[in-house]
């Protein structure tokens, strides 16, 4: 039988083969999942769509999620959109949060582990706190330098001040102190000594 040929999107035969055996609802839920996992920031829309399609193919070939309630049962998005619309991310373009479980979807036991935060929702960096203030470091540095000259400095004392120097990027001061200590003590530090710095 010959029928009117329909124009299929690029890669459609590949899709038909990959998701054979899945229900329409499962295909749609896999499309939602592919958009959730495959979306990244790019100005090249074609590159993004192609990557999401690859993600979809990978997911349906694995079939790991196919029997989960969230993939078997319909939800608000599978009821509203066609498979191709979901794979093209139309739901996201119309305001759905693509990184959350679809509205009306049943919960899976591992939902909490499965959430993918949006790319822009990276945790804010915590400001680095030096172990000592620069003022405290200056006092410690002078005391330790005096101890080095008096030959009473210990590895721990020098290590603590070197750590403070590192915190404040005082490389010259650290090198100066270490070279004076090395000269005064007559030996270089062992690996064990260096570990005290960290």
């Amino acid at each position: 039988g010959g029928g009117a040929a329909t124009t299929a999107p690029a890669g459609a035969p590949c899709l038909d083969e990959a998701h054979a055996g899945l229900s329409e609802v499962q295909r749609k839920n896999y499309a939602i999942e592919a958009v959730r996992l495959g979306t990244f920031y790019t100005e090249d829309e074609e590159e993004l769509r192609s990557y999401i399609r690859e993600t979809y193919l990978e997911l349906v070939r694995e079939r790991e999620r196919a029997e989960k309630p969230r993939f078997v049962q319909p939800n608000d998005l599978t009821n509203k959109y066609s498979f191709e619309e979901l794979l093209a991310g139309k739901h996201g373009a119309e305001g759905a949060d693509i990184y959350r479980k679809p509205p009306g979807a049943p919960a899976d036991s591992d939902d909490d582990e499965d959430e993918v935060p949006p790319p822009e929702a990276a945790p804010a960096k915590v400001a680095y706190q030096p172990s000592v203030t620069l003022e405290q470091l200056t006092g410690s540095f002078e005391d330790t330098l005096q101890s080095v000259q008096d030959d009473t400095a210990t590895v721990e004392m020098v290590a603590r001040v070197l750590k403070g120097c590192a915190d404040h990027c005082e490389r010259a001061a650290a090198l100066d102190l270490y070279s004076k200590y090395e000269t005064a003590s007559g030996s270089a530090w062992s690996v064990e000594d260096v570990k005290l710095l960290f």
Side-chain angles (χ1 to χ4, degrees):
T6 54
T7 308
C14 199
L15 284 183
D16 288 342
E17 184 187 316
H19 63 205
L22 293 175
S23 71
E24 183 68 14
V25 168
Q26 283 172 312
R27 293 177 190 191
K28 286 182 176 184
N29 279 319
Y30 265 115
I32 292 167
E33 187 74 349
V35 169
R36 183 173 81 96
L37 297 175
T39 297
F40 61 95
Y41 178 76
T42 175
E43 291 181 6
D44 185 341
E45 192 73 14
E46 195 47 51
E47 180 190 18
L48 178 61
R49 294 294 149 237
S50 172
Y51 184 72
I52 288 172
R53 196 168 280 265
E54 284 171 28
T55 303
Y56 174 83
L57 285 168
E58 206 173 292
L59 287 170
V60 295
R61 282 185 185 128
E62 287 170 1
R63 297 282 166 111
E64 281 179 16
R65 306 159 198 243
E67 298 311 316
K68 286 187 176 185
R70 183 154 56 103
F71 285 80
V72 176
Q73 295 174 31
N75 56 61
D76 295 0
L77 298 182
T78 60
N79 291 337
K80 181 176 179 181
Y81 298 99
S82 71
F83 167 74
E84 279 297 340
E85 285 173 338
L86 288 168
L87 198 59
K90 188 176 179 185
H91 56 299
E94 293 186 354
D97 184 347
I98 64 169
Y99 297 104
R100 298 278 167 235
K101 190 177 62 180
D108 285 339
S109 57
D110 59 354
D111 262 352
D112 290 343
E113 303 165 19
D114 231 14
E115 289 292 345
V116 173
E120 55 279 335
K125 286 186 179 174
V126 179
Y128 178 67
Q129 296 294 325
S131 57
V132 291
T133 65
L134 202 50
E135 195 178 341
Q136 289 170 323
L137 176 62
T138 304
S140 299
F141 186 86
E142 287 167 358
D143 291 347
T144 306
L145 206 53
Q146 186 59 53
S147 299
V148 166
Q149 285 158 358
D150 298 343
D151 204 21
T152 58
T154 63
V155 169
E156 288 81 5
M157 281 170 65
V158 177
R160 199 161 41 243
V161 176
L162 289 182
K163 171 101 172 52
C165 289
D167 281 354
H168 290 280
C169 300
E170 295 287 345
R171 187 163 177 265
L175 288 171
D176 181 48
L177 176 60
Y178 176 71
S179 63
K180 286 192 166 98
Y181 175 73
E182 194 177 27
T183 303
S185 64
S187 65
W189 281 11
S190 67
V191 173
E192 284 68 33
D193 294 337
V194 174
K195 280 181 181 170
L196 288 165
L197 283 167
F198 304 100

